[in-house]
Amino acid sequence: MNKMRVGIIGAGNISDIYLAAPSKFKNIELAGIADLLSHKAKEKADLFNIQFYETPAALMEDPSIEVIVNLTIPSAHAEINLAALDHGKHVYSEKPLATRYEDGKKIIEKAKALNLRVGVAPDTILGAGVQTALQLVNNDKIGKIVGAKAFMMGSGPEGWHPNPAFFYETGAGPLFDMGPYYLSSLLVLLGPVDCVTGIAQTTYRERTIKSLERAGETFPVTTPTHVEGLMHFKSNVTASITATFDIHQSKLPFIEVYGSKGTIHVPDPNFFGGPVTYLAEGEDGWQDAELVSDYIGNERGLGLSDMIASIYSNEQHYCHGELGLHVLEVMEKLLESSVERTFKPIETNFAMRNQREKV
Ligand SMILES: NC(=O)c1ccc[n+]([C@@H]2O[C@H](COP(=O)([O-])OP(=O)(O)OC[C@H]3O[C@@H](n4cnc5c(N)ncnc54)[C@H](O)[C@@H]3O)[C@@H](O)[C@H]2O)c1
């Protein structure tokens, strides 16, 4: 097994699942962990029995580390991604790639110039749910694609996350925080976007932490929290996304894809599994599709493992930087179009590799 030594930067909420990834994905060899708050990294290093680095810079300077996994908050993503590349490391970043499209472009340009890889979450697009939906599309189950709808409907993360303020800063909000799951899935299924327009609002200017030690504390909201977006794709189909942290509950689907002969109901793109159901001409009512893989649990690390395997096999990895940049451009331009009351063309493009049988 061709492995790579991986250093994690960011020892917060999501780090546990990445720290546990080597037990599932054997080409990931954990070298160590660092955080701006060194005590957080120390705690995780002790828990998972890996090396603790006093600072992120110290981790980046370790010549034995080949890949940096960036699990910091979104506003730090660009800085850490660029620094990792400057240190000659491949980087796999939590979403979004950066909080500004301009910074995202710099990351991709630098990686190309240095011949290094950039991987971007979400790797749920490699999960059984999205991949099964993709197989139905590719097998012409629903005919010629007409369009799709995506609904990210919720009341925000302050109900469960211990430090939720970052979710309400520029570069987060429902579109930048959760949108990448929905948009990446739509892009896998429908291809690149050609132009967008959106309407966005900030319904509440202040939010209150609802759980754990800081319950009752309030914090300001500086980004839109209720977003309606329209997308026209290069394949000449249209789709819409609603992304909100401002509603109580909804019975709307997560994602539906519509074709000339049927409809696919795509499961929650924040998760890896099914069920995937579809309705197709000539078949008796809604059917449960047979899932194409057993990636149905919390498989975070799958995209990183795929990137490592792809470096060795000299193939494109699945959750790649151009896809992450395209998602970022779409999100930024959706919000810009809302301010400007315009349609915005999308300048980036991407291509996808077929799914690999097994990582
Ligand atoms: N929490 C989840 O369920 C979840 C799920 C999927 C993806 N994500 C993504 O993972 C990332 C991290 O989320 P989280 O929930 O773990 O956040 P968190 O706030 O719990 O942890 C982030 C960590 O990054 C550290 N940090 C911040 N700036 C830094 C810097 N410049 N250098 C080094 N360390 C720095 C913080 O000290 C903190 O320990 C985000 O991009 C988020 O969107 C989170």
Side-chain angles (χ1 to χ4, degrees):
M1 171 71 64
N2 287 320
K3 297 182 174 201
M4 279 198 180
R5 278 175 63 75
V6 171
I8 293 183
I9 300 188
N13 213 265
I14 198 62
S15 63
D16 285 12
I17 189 73
Y18 282 92
L19 285 159
S23 64
K24 238 186 230 178
F25 304 108
K26 301 296 178 196
N27 60 358
I28 300 174
E29 186 183 326
L30 269 191
I33 187 161
D35 194 291
L36 202 57
L37 304 174
S38 61
H39 70 274
K40 293 182 78 173
K42 176 84 174 74
E43 198 179 298
K44 297 290 179 192
D46 290 347
L47 199 62
F48 287 87
N49 203 19
I50 53 168
Q51 192 173 334
F52 155 68
Y53 293 82
E54 190 67 46
T55 62
L59 184 148
M60 290 209 206
E61 275 151 25
D62 181 339
S64 79
I65 293 178
E66 298 159 282
V67 184
I68 301 285
V69 171
N70 182 358
L71 307 182
T72 61
I73 53 173
S75 59
H77 284 183
E79 175 200 332
I80 300 286
N81 290 340
L82 287 167
L85 295 169
D86 279 332
H87 282 80
K89 323 284 191 197
H90 306 289
V91 63
Y92 184 90
S93 178
E94 255 304 338
K95 44 76 190 168
L97 172 64
T99 55
R100 294 177 343 134
Y101 173 49
E102 276 310 305
D103 292 335
K105 278 199 287 193
K106 283 185 202 151
I107 295 165
I108 300 307
E109 278 160 18
K110 190 179 277 284
K112 272 196 190 130
L114 296 172
N115 198 21
L116 292 165
R117 300 285 185 114
V118 176
V120 189
D123 50 3
T124 49
I125 55 173
L126 271 169
V130 172
Q131 289 297 321
T132 300
L134 179 62
Q135 192 187 62
L136 292 173
V137 169
N138 288 345
N139 290 351
D140 202 33
K141 268 285 174 201
I142 61 165
K144 190 175 172 338
I145 302 300
V146 176
K149 284 192 169 288
F151 297 99
M152 201 307 288
M153 312 295 279
S155 54
E158 64 269 38
W160 60 272
H161 198 283
N163 307 301
F166 80 80
F167 288 104
Y168 292 91
E169 290 168 4
T170 303
L175 186 64
F176 275 63
D177 177 57
M178 293 300 288
Y181 294 107
Y182 293 75
L183 291 169
S184 304
S185 303
L186 288 177
L187 298 181
V188 165
L189 296 167
L190 307 179
V193 175
D194 151 62
C195 91
V196 301
T197 190
I199 298 182
Q201 70 189 44
T202 306
T203 312
Y204 311 106
R205 295 278 159 191
E206 193 176 78
R207 313 279 291 214
T208 306
I209 301 179
K210 293 188 183 137
S211 72
L212 304 170
E213 303 98 72
R214 298 176 57 200
E217 272 182 45
T218 58
F219 58 88
V221 178
T222 55
T223 195
T225 51
H226 189 79
V227 183
E228 301 286 357
L230 282 176
M231 292 161 280
H232 183 257
F233 286 73
K234 291 190 200 298
S235 54
N236 209 23
V237 304
T238 51
S240 68
I241 180 167
T242 302
T244 181
F245 281 162
D246 293 348
I247 60 114
H248 281 272
Q249 283 187 15
S250 161
K251 288 183 173 177
L252 287 164
F254 297 100
I255 298 175
E256 282 184 344
V257 183
Y258 309 106
S260 57
K261 295 193 297 189
T263 296
I264 302 170
H265 186 98
V266 183
D268 188 343
N270 189 10
F271 296 94
F272 288 77
V276 178
T277 54
Y278 68 98
L279 186 78
E281 224 170 63
E283 294 191 26
D284 193 15
W286 286 90
Q287 309 284 324
D288 270 334
E290 192 182 332
L291 296 180
V292 296
S293 79
D294 51 9
Y295 291 128
I296 57 172
N298 189 347
E299 317 285 351
R300 282 188 173 80
L302 176 58
L304 168 64
S305 175
D306 174 72
M307 185 172 92
I308 292 171
S310 302
I311 293 170
Y312 280 111
S313 64
N314 202 23
E315 289 170 277
Q316 186 196 44
H317 54 291
Y318 205 79
C319 304
H320 58 79
E322 280 85 3
L323 177 65
L325 182 64
H326 196 76
V327 168
L328 178 58
E329 187 188 0
V330 166
M331 296 191 299
E332 185 169 288
K333 292 198 169 155
L334 275 174
L335 294 190
E336 280 176 3
S337 69
S338 169
V339 176
E340 297 168 7
R341 298 290 197 246
T342 54
F343 281 87
K344 305 279 286 188
I346 298 297
E347 59 187 25
T348 56
N349 208 346
F350 68 90
M352 298 301 289
R353 180 202 84 206
N354 287 331
Q355 195 201 3
R356 181 196 310 282
E357 278 302 298
K358 268 259 177 270
V359 171

